[in-house]
């Protein structure tokens, strides 16, 4: 028998001005159980205690799509979203749960992880989710993905410059990339500014906050695609990390 996730209705309300429906709460619980079960074979996450899972996976995933503590409005009406390096499904699966009118494309280079995500989508009946086994550097050059998304999410995949190079080519003009980080410094902003400029974007907002249970430091970087990304980006597989912008 598995533990139950806490509901945390007041915290959702205070921090995101939102509360899950009964269906969404049930889907969070199913997701938690599937991850605990999958963990024995796939080594998906070290975060397995219910409160910690709630905070570091669910709350953290959703805080990123709520700059200034309000969900990005296009997510409710219907946006096309891509999650790069989704791993065990974060932040993309919680986003698919709370934004049923949006389409979420979950991308990871590891086939085993994507097979697991396919199982999650089917067991949670998340018909607004789809998966791709690919590297960000590859789909960024494919016409069916390049400049096709309204929102690109990326958590714990690489340096901020590499994350910018993975996400910005995928965005339509006017689209938004959300880079999830732990710590962040002023000096890093200078490097990022320079990278983002070369990719046709601008750094629109950097938010700094703490998680609601353990008060851990978090940052989210919001990049706006204001122009077009030059054809040479993203560079070949591995180059964004080996020669960061
Ligand atoms: N976003 C998840 C997982 C982070 S681990 C979370 O925050 O919990 C990083 C994941 O990114 C791994 O599953 C890895 O396979 C994937 N990954 C790393 N580089 C990638 C790339 N260039 N393109 C696609 N996926 C990548």
């Amino acid at each position: 028998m598995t533990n139950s996730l806490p509901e945390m209705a007041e915290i959702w309300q205070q921090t995101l001005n939102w509360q899950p429906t009964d269906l969404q709460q049930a889907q969070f619980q199913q997701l938690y159980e599937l991850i605990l079960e999958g963990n024995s074979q796939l080594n998906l996450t070290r975060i397995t205690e219910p409160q910690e899972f709630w905070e570091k996976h669910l709350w953290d995933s959703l805080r990123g799509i709520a700059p200034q503590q309000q969900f990005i409005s296009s997510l409710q009406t219907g946006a096309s979203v891509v999650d790069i390096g989704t791993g065990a499904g974060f932040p993309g699966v919680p986003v698919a749960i709370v934004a049923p009118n949006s389409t979420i494309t979950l991308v990871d280079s590891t086939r085993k992880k994507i097979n697991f995500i396919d199982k999650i989508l089917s067991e949670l009946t998340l018909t607004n989710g789809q998966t791709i086994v690919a590297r960000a550097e590859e789909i960024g050059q494919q016409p069916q993905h390049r400049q096709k998304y309204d929102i690109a999410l990326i958590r714990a995949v690489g340096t901020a410059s590499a994350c910018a190079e993975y996400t910005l080519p995928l965005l339509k003009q006017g689209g938004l990339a959300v880079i999830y980080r732990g710590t962040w410094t002023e000096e890093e902003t200078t490097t990022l500014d320079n990278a983002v400029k070369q990719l046709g974007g601008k750094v629109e907002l950097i938010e700094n906050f703490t998680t609601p249970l353990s008060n851990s430091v978090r940052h989210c970087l919001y990049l706006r695609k204001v122009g077009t990304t030059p054809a040479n980006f993203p560079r070949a597989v591995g180059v964004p990390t080996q020669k960061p912008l």
Side-chain angles (χ1 to χ4, degrees), residues 125-222:
T125 46
L126 286 171
T127 52
N128 61 328
Q130 55 191 46
T131 57
I132 310 179
V133 181
R135 302 264 322 189
E137 299 94 314
E138 297 162 347
I139 61 166
Q141 292 294 353
Q142 293 168 357
Q144 69 270 36
H145 295 291
R146 188 178 175 93
Q147 301 213 131
K148 291 289 189 286
Y149 296 92
D150 301 303
I151 299 171
L153 309 173
I154 190 161
R155 190 180 85 160
V157 176
T159 63
S161 302
C163 290
E165 189 168 345
Y166 294 153
T167 53
L168 283 167
L170 297 167
L171 293 175
K172 298 174 189 167
Q173 207 163 345
L176 189 70
V178 184
I179 303 179
Y180 292 66
R181 315 272 325 165
T183 57
W184 187 253
T185 62
E186 215 34 64
E187 300 84 79
E188 292 178 281
T189 306
T190 314
T191 317
L192 178 67
D193 262 326
N194 171 56
V196 167
K197 234 174 250 152
Q198 295 182 61
L199 295 160
K202 68 163 198 220
V203 181
E204 181 167 277
L205 175 68
I206 297 180
E207 281 199 324
N208 139 22
F209 51 88
T210 55
T211 62
L213 302 181
S214 63
N215 291 316
S216 313
V217 173
R218 291 287 184 279
H219 290 79
C220 276
L221 320 175
Y222 297 90

Side-chain angles (χ1 to χ4, degrees), residues 57 83-91 107-110 113 134-137 154-157 166:
H57 284 325
D83 178 18
I84 297 294
T86 191
F90 302 106
V107 181
D108 203 282
S109 51
T110 309
K113 300 239 172 105
R135 302 264 322 189
E137 299 94 314
I154 190 161
R155 190 180 85 160
V157 176
Y166 294 153

Side-chain angles (χ1 to χ4, degrees), residues 26-167:
Q27 288 174 317
F28 289 162
Q29 178 67 32
Q30 271 182 295
L31 172 63
Y32 177 50
E33 291 177 13
L34 287 168
I35 287 183
L36 291 183
E37 193 187 297
N39 228 6
S40 50
Q41 290 174 31
L42 289 172
N43 222 349
L44 298 164
T45 180
R46 281 170 292 131
I47 296 167
T48 56
E49 287 308 309
Q51 304 251 333
E52 207 188 358
F53 184 93
W54 179 86
E55 179 183 51
K56 304 229 162 97
H57 284 325
L58 298 180
W59 185 88
D60 191 66
S61 291
L62 298 182
R63 177 58 180 81
I65 55 159
Q68 281 140 356
Q69 308 193 3
Q70 290 290 333
F71 283 137
I72 298 166
S73 60
S74 67
L75 281 169
Q76 311 293 7
T77 48
S80 102
V81 182
V82 62
D83 178 18
I84 297 294
T86 191
F90 302 106
V93 170
V95 172
I97 291 172
V98 306
N101 295 327
S102 290
T103 307
I104 322 295
T105 302
L106 302 141
V107 181
D108 203 282
S109 51
T110 309
R111 156 94 40 206
K112 275 193 302 189
K113 300 239 172 105
I114 290 298
N115 287 345
F116 177 72
I117 303 284
D118 284 335
K119 177 176 167 174
I120 289 178
L121 295 178
S122 127
E123 300 227 351
L124 273 63
T125 46
L126 286 171
T127 52
N128 61 328
Q130 55 191 46
T131 57
I132 310 179
V133 181
R135 302 264 322 189
E137 299 94 314
E138 297 162 347
I139 61 166
Q141 292 294 353
Q142 293 168 357
Q144 69 270 36
H145 295 291
R146 188 178 175 93
Q147 301 213 131
K148 291 289 189 286
Y149 296 92
D150 301 303
I151 299 171
L153 309 173
I154 190 161
R155 190 180 85 160
V157 176
T159 63
S161 302
C163 290
E165 189 168 345
Y166 294 153
T167 53

